[in-house]
Amino acid sequence: MSAREQSDFKCVELGEEAVEQQPSKPGEPAGPAERGSDTQPGKPSNRIPLTNPDTVHVKREPDEKHNLKRFFPGAIEQAVQDIRSVMDEKEDGSVQSVWLLAEVDHWNNEKERIVLLAENSLLICKYDFIMLSCQHIQRIPLNCIDRICHGEFTFPQKSLDKREGEGLRILWDRLREPTFVSRWNPFSGDFPFCTFTEHPVLGASDKFTKMCALDQFRDQLTQAVQRAHEKKPIPGKANGVLVLKQPILIETYVGLMSFIGNQNKLGYCMARGNMGF
């Protein structure tokens, strides 16, 4: 080996425990245990401490933070600011509260929604957390809401589709019933009601626990609707809102499409490796 090749190798002085395990050969000086420590008082040692592989711990990220990063590649604060920028303050009024919920359509598909409860309107927003853009906003005047129903989800008796948990249904036109075509069209939005349930990040942190609390959203919505009816009543329509505790019916029978979509969270804007929905 040439002198240049030898210079490429750097010697690393091991700790005392490693050197003590190596037997000394005849004619060689004794190890550190026999000749004493070469560390002078007040001078730091340049030895590399050895660690037991069994005691090495990898700091892992909590599951809650991992789930939040999965669901929200972009900041939710930025989403609220973007939605506020496209609001009509004269029509909607000031924002009272912001909620993060999951909307359940008439085919039992979950869809992530940011809901803004304003002074005069209820804004249901579809936001893309990947591209940081607001894609769709549904505006519902509060003085048009006449019923708020909450209870367990139910399905027809012969339905193969099932969903557990509680939901909240908001209705604003009791005289109009969905048509037969609308009921069987999975992309139809011609319904005089909307249905919500809790977002999967409920309980991930105190902040999201407040934003996803369905009961608190129902209470604040009821109070806001009552104030809107008193402030701006609709002629020929009974003022006030009925709050009913009853099962939330979803009329689906097979549910194959919703099963695949809900199991894979296709209705949520999530980070999915190299692609997102």
Side-chain angles (χ1 to χ4, degrees):
M1 181 180 295
S2 63
R4 182 175 180 179
E5 293 176 346
Q6 293 178 357
S7 63
D8 292 337
F9 290 86
K10 296 182 180 180
C11 298
V12 178
E13 186 177 2
L14 301 177
E16 295 181 359
E17 296 179 0
V19 178
E20 289 176 356
Q21 295 177 0
Q22 298 179 359
S24 58
K25 297 181 181 180
E28 292 184 353
E34 299 179 8
R35 67 169 181 261
S37 175
D38 57 354
T39 304
Q40 299 178 3
K43 182 180 179 181
S45 175
N46 59 352
R47 293 173 180 172
I48 300 177
L50 298 180
T51 57
N52 189 349
D54 297 335
T55 61
V56 176
H57 299 283
V58 179
K59 186 177 180 180
R60 298 187 180 275
E61 195 173 23
D63 293 338
E64 293 83 0
K65 293 184 178 180
H66 173 72
N67 289 335
L68 291 179
K69 287 185 177 180
R70 244 187 106 195
F71 276 97
F72 306 110
I76 192 168
E77 293 80 5
Q78 181 65 40
V80 176
Q81 292 180 6
D82 293 342
I83 297 172
R84 283 175 178 264
S85 64
V86 298
M87 285 181 56
D88 188 350
E89 293 187 1
K90 293 183 179 180
E91 182 179 358
D92 301 323
S94 60
V95 177
Q96 305 297 317
S97 57
V98 180
W99 306 87
L100 180 66
L101 303 172
E103 184 177 6
V104 182
D105 66 6
H106 60 293
W107 274 45
N108 196 28
N109 296 303
E110 291 184 11
K111 301 175 183 179
E112 184 179 58
R113 294 292 183 261
I114 298 179
V115 180
L116 272 67
L117 180 58
E119 188 177 359
N120 303 321
S121 304
L122 181 68
L123 303 175
I124 304 172
C125 312
K126 178 183 179 181
Y127 190 84
D128 188 347
F129 285 97
I130 303 294
M131 302 302 296
L132 299 179
S133 63
C134 184
Q135 297 183 339
H136 180 263
I137 296 180
Q138 181 183 6
R139 176 182 285 105
I140 304 171
L142 293 181
N143 59 347
C144 293
I145 298 176
D146 48 39
R147 282 178 294 169
I148 299 177
C149 304
H150 62 99
E152 298 285 340
F153 286 105
T154 60
F155 294 82
Q157 185 176 4
K158 296 182 180 180
S159 175
L160 301 177
D161 195 11
K162 299 296 179 182
R163 168 185 290 275
E164 298 180 354
E166 293 187 356
L168 178 71
R169 177 164 291 174
I170 305 169
L171 304 97
W172 53 83
D173 192 353
R174 67 177 66 188
L175 299 179
R176 181 167 63 94
E177 291 292 336
T179 63
F180 177 82
V181 177
S182 299
R183 293 178 183 273
W184 290 98
N185 182 7
F187 305 104
S188 176
D190 185 24
F191 287 85
F193 60 83
C194 57
T195 307
F196 295 103
T197 188
E198 295 173 340
H199 196 280
V201 298
L202 174 70
S205 65
D206 294 338
K207 172 183 175 181
F208 286 99
T209 299
K210 296 178 180 178
M211 292 185 66
C212 303
L214 201 62
D215 293 340
Q216 296 181 13
F217 170 67
R218 181 192 69 221
D219 295 339
Q220 292 193 23
L221 176 63
T222 303
Q223 297 175 6
V225 171
Q226 291 175 349
R227 290 193 299 265
H229 278 282
E230 296 175 359
K231 179 180 178 181
K232 191 177 180 180
I234 299 178
K237 187 174 182 179
N239 296 326
V241 57
L242 293 176
V243 181
L244 306 174
K245 182 172 178 58
Q246 62 183 24
I248 306 297
L249 177 63
I250 300 180
E251 294 184 274
T252 58
Y253 292 88
V254 179
L256 179 61
M257 180 173 141
S258 62
F259 175 79
I260 297 175
N262 295 340
Q263 288 293 324
N264 295 279
K265 296 291 187 293
L266 299 182
Y268 297 84
C269 188
M270 300 173 58
R272 308 172 190 270
N274 295 327
M275 64 178 181
F277 292 96

